[in-house]
Amino acid sequence: MKLGVAPHRLWPRSVADLDGVLEAARTAERLGFDHVIAGSHVLATEVGLSHDPLVLLSAVAGATSRIRIATSVLILPLHNPVLLAHQAATLDRLSGGRFSLGVGTGWDAGEFAAVGVPFPGRGRLVDEQLVVIGELWRGEGAVRLGVPPLRPSGPPVWVGGQGDAALRRALRFGDAWHGSGVDPAGLAAVRGRLADLGEETGRDPATLELTAGAFLVPPGHTPPAGAPGTPLGGPAASAESIRHALGELGEAGLSSCSLWFPVAAEALPDALAWTAEELLPGA
């Protein structure tokens, strides 16, 4: 299974928590992780602060040479699809084809109000945007992007969400489905729904990669108050229990897991080092 990491603590509470992201990305590359992820919030919210993901990943691409980069996930309705298609194509080309565009519909109505985008109907809007973006990447239609993507079909698209509308969207537009916090039973349920919806959309679900984000608290680390969900391996995880959890996810069909660390910002380097030593292939 491919493992990626976030370059800062989960849900940063201060700007200081976001310092060091480029050094963390370089460390992740040196340790052998597959990719670095960046979340997407325009405003400071109850889940903390956030860099702009495309700006952050552009900086990461310039600071590294091998590691892949991905938005996990970019809130697509908040973006003009023509501008975003150009930005993504530029990042795809400048990163040497290392970029994947993870997209979702978003959940924070306040961000939509701040940007001036209606919150209702955002799922339908995402479908329309993905049509436009795909056509622009392929060079179809009356207009041409300022720069084409490195790959003729554009960077890989990861489509987030677990409802039927999101799964249809992944089958129609995605190279991968991208979930969050799933367990093997939940992943099996997603695979079952994809199989049902595949006939409806005309897409073989076997051609859709299954990816997900997960929370990891390495042994010896204490998560901050209010950390979300159940981390990999359980609340008092060991290396063995975490490896077992990842193995079960792999057997259920997950091919790529992106790790968020709900640990103190100063503990992140140690968390990355432990994860690489214990969980990466060949460790």
Side-chain angles (χ1 to χ4, degrees), residues 209-244:
E209 186 179 1
L210 301 182
T211 67
F215 308 121
L216 175 61
V217 181
H221 293 267
T222 302
T230 301
L232 281 172
S238 64
E240 182 178 356
S241 69
I242 294 168
R243 283 193 290 265
H244 179 72

Side-chain angles (χ1 to χ4, degrees), residues 190-274:
V190 167
R191 291 181 66 187
R193 287 305 296 150
L194 287 171
D196 294 339
L197 296 169
E199 295 184 10
E200 176 185 320
T201 60
R203 169 83 177 273
D204 179 1
T207 65
L208 187 70
E209 186 179 1
L210 301 182
T211 67
F215 308 121
L216 175 61
V217 181
H221 293 267
T222 302
T230 301
L232 281 172
S238 64
E240 182 178 356
S241 69
I242 294 168
R243 283 193 290 265
H244 179 72
L246 286 171
E248 287 190 323
L249 288 170
E251 290 175 2
L254 197 71
S255 62
S256 178
C257 189
S258 303
L259 301 173
W260 290 93
F261 295 93
V263 300
E266 60 271 17
L268 183 61
D270 288 340
L272 291 173
W274 182 92

Side-chain angles (χ1 to χ4, degrees), residues 59-238:
V60 169
T64 58
S65 60
R66 177 202 60 81
I67 198 164
R68 295 183 55 80
I69 53 179
T71 53
S72 176
V73 292
L74 182 138
I75 304 170
L76 188 53
L78 303 182
H79 297 262
N80 178 288
V82 179
L83 293 177
L84 179 60
H86 188 217
Q87 291 171 316
T90 301
L91 184 49
D92 183 47
R93 183 166 289 278
L94 293 179
S95 67
R98 291 187 280 150
F99 175 55
S100 294
L101 178 65
V103 299
T105 58
W107 53 266
D108 189 337
E111 290 189 294
F112 283 72
V115 178
V117 175
F119 189 68
R122 63 196 185 282
R124 183 174 61 254
L125 176 59
V126 166
D127 291 341
E128 295 169 355
Q129 291 174 305
L130 287 171
V131 170
V132 171
I133 290 169
E135 289 176 347
L136 288 166
W137 283 346
R138 294 188 299 270
E140 301 170 357
V143 299
R144 294 288 186 271
L145 292 176
V147 63
L150 184 64
R151 291 158 285 191
S153 59
V157 174
W158 299 357
V159 177
Q162 295 182 211
D164 278 4
L167 297 179
R168 288 190 187 94
R169 187 172 301 122
L171 288 164
R172 287 183 61 198
F173 303 108
D175 298 278
W177 169 79
H178 191 58
S180 177
V182 292
D183 56 20
L187 195 60
V190 167
R191 291 181 66 187
R193 287 305 296 150
L194 287 171
D196 294 339
L197 296 169
E199 295 184 10
E200 176 185 320
T201 60
R203 169 83 177 273
D204 179 1
T207 65
L208 187 70
E209 186 179 1
L210 301 182
T211 67
F215 308 121
L216 175 61
V217 181
H221 293 267
T222 302
T230 301
L232 281 172
S238 64

